[in-house]
Amino acid sequence: MRAWRVIPFIFIPIFSFSVSASAFEVEGLKTPESFIVDPSTGNYFISNINGSGPLGKDDDGFITKLNKDGKVINITFIDGKRNDVTLNAPKGLDVIGNVLYVSDIDFIRGFDKETGKLLYDLDMKAFNPAFLNDLTHDSQGNLYVSDMTANMILKIDTKNNHTTSILVKLSTLGGPNGVNIHPKTGKLITVTWDTGKILEIDLSGNIKTLIEDNRFKNLDGVDFDNNGNIFVSSFTGGEVYKITPDLKVEVFHKGLTTPADINIDKKKGLLLIPSFEGNKAKTVSIK
């Protein structure tokens, strides 16, 4: 066990890491919501809502950057407290090329993943968003954004001046939270907060229930491993479920504190778990 003491601005967090194989843990975060890996560099990013909560427009959110070994490069790599950055309550994260995209209530913001410089500030208010949440992209560079409260998924064409449209907006989405692309079908997968379902959505916005299990509640994050297994997190249930390609469901990890938007480092075989109310994040081997 080793500890680093960092003094960024006005608070003094203590970060500790325990290494088993390539797993690690980060403490001292501030309401972490999403935890992703940049597949091209191996660096990690964690969104911190901080401040007054998921809908608070307090410009108090920040993004933490870790190196490929899980050590903190900069706790406030992108910080709403900076004069040149607005970041209220960052949630979903996704990397396309050199851009780190972040959902922020009713904006999608894009930052240079190396410098933290703001590149894009995309106002989504024309679509009446209520709670922009998770992000993912397809092989064509289209970015998909879930809105859990408005029962809506937006599609942003990042290669065409970030042209934005509504892919689907229906109550049957049941509070869409985590989103990802199915590696085999190329269809959009979303997990639902309200109805506890895993849904499949095609490019025309047609919705199909892929999996429904009475153990699922308040589903938050979703990702696939290299073998086609689906991992989903239950925020209030404190569990991560593993669903095999033949759709068998098992509890993979339990006893967690509010696991939020999970993702998978496919190169290392690590499940990335942010603990929303625990103010920490950890990785677990899935090999």
Side-chain angles (χ1 to χ4, degrees):
M1 178 74 69
R2 294 177 289 175
W4 289 262
R5 186 172 295 273
V6 182
I7 306 177
F9 301 100
I10 60 172
F11 60 87
I12 305 175
I14 298 176
F15 310 100
S16 61
F17 303 87
S18 57
V19 180
S20 174
S22 55
F24 59 89
E25 184 170 310
V26 187
E27 296 183 349
L29 301 172
K30 300 290 182 180
T31 328
E33 205 283 330
S34 184
F35 185 5
I36 68 165
V37 64
D38 176 1
S40 66
T41 65
N43 292 329
Y44 301 92
F45 298 95
I46 303 172
S47 60
N48 294 258
I49 291 174
N50 199 18
S52 57
L55 291 173
K57 293 189 175 182
D58 49 17
D59 205 13
D60 205 25
F62 61 94
I63 309 295
T64 297
K65 184 176 183 178
L66 316 175
N67 70 10
K68 62 183 179 180
D69 297 317
K71 297 178 181 179
V72 174
I73 294 174
N74 191 339
I75 180 67
T76 51
F77 172 61
I78 302 167
D79 191 355
K81 293 179 180 178
R82 283 170 29 192
N83 292 333
D84 59 338
V85 172
T86 298
L87 202 58
N88 293 303
K91 299 177 187 70
L93 300 172
D94 194 30
V95 174
I96 302 178
N98 73 318
V99 183
L100 173 66
Y101 288 96
V102 184
S103 67
D104 190 10
I105 304 177
D106 48 15
F107 273 76
I108 301 298
R109 311 189 197 275
F111 300 91
D112 187 301
K113 69 180 184 181
E114 299 299 335
T115 67
K117 179 182 177 181
L118 178 66
L119 300 175
Y120 305 106
D121 216 16
L122 309 175
D123 189 342
M124 299 287 112
K125 294 191 189 72
F127 300 95
N128 297 312
F131 195 95
L132 296 181
N133 202 332
D134 198 21
L135 301 174
T136 194
H137 72 277
D138 62 20
S139 61
Q140 304 303 309
N142 296 303
L143 190 66
Y144 299 91
V145 189
S146 64
D147 189 315
M148 190 173 72
T149 303
N151 280 314
M152 175 173 65
I153 294 176
L154 298 176
K155 177 182 177 181
I156 302 173
D157 185 348
T158 64
K159 295 182 178 180
N160 185 24
N161 200 31
H162 290 91
T163 301
T164 303
S165 59
I166 297 175
L167 176 66
V168 59
K169 186 175 184 179
L170 289 170
S171 61
T172 49
L173 283 173
N177 199 325
V179 288
N180 224 304
I181 300 295
H182 196 295
K184 287 189 176 181
T185 67
K187 294 180 180 179
L188 184 70
I189 302 298
T190 185
V191 295
T192 66
W193 181 268
D194 298 334
T195 59
K197 296 180 181 180
I198 302 176
L199 305 177
E200 181 181 76
I201 304 168
D202 67 20
L203 296 180
S204 299
N206 298 308
I207 303 170
K208 172 186 175 182
T209 298
L210 189 64
I211 306 166
E212 187 172 4
D213 191 293
N214 58 17
R215 291 171 291 180
F216 292 168
K217 59 180 178 178
N218 297 141
L219 298 183
D220 199 310
V222 57
D223 203 355
F224 291 80
D225 68 10
N226 292 322
N227 297 314
N229 298 302
I230 310 173
F231 290 78
V232 300
S233 58
S234 170
F235 185 90
T236 53
E239 296 178 327
V240 172
Y241 296 94
K242 177 182 177 181
I243 300 103
T244 60
D246 59 355
L247 304 185
K248 293 181 180 178
V249 180
E250 63 183 64
V251 176
F252 176 77
H253 203 316
K254 60 183 179 179
L256 297 164
T257 300
T258 53
D261 184 17
I262 61 169
N263 285 280
I264 291 176
D265 182 341
K266 295 176 177 61
K267 290 182 180 179
K268 292 184 178 179
L270 292 176
L271 178 66
L272 315 179
I273 309 173
S275 175
F276 190 89
E277 294 175 356
N279 291 317
K280 61 185 179 180
K282 72 174 183 177
T283 67
V284 176
S285 175
I286 59 173
K287 292 182 179 180

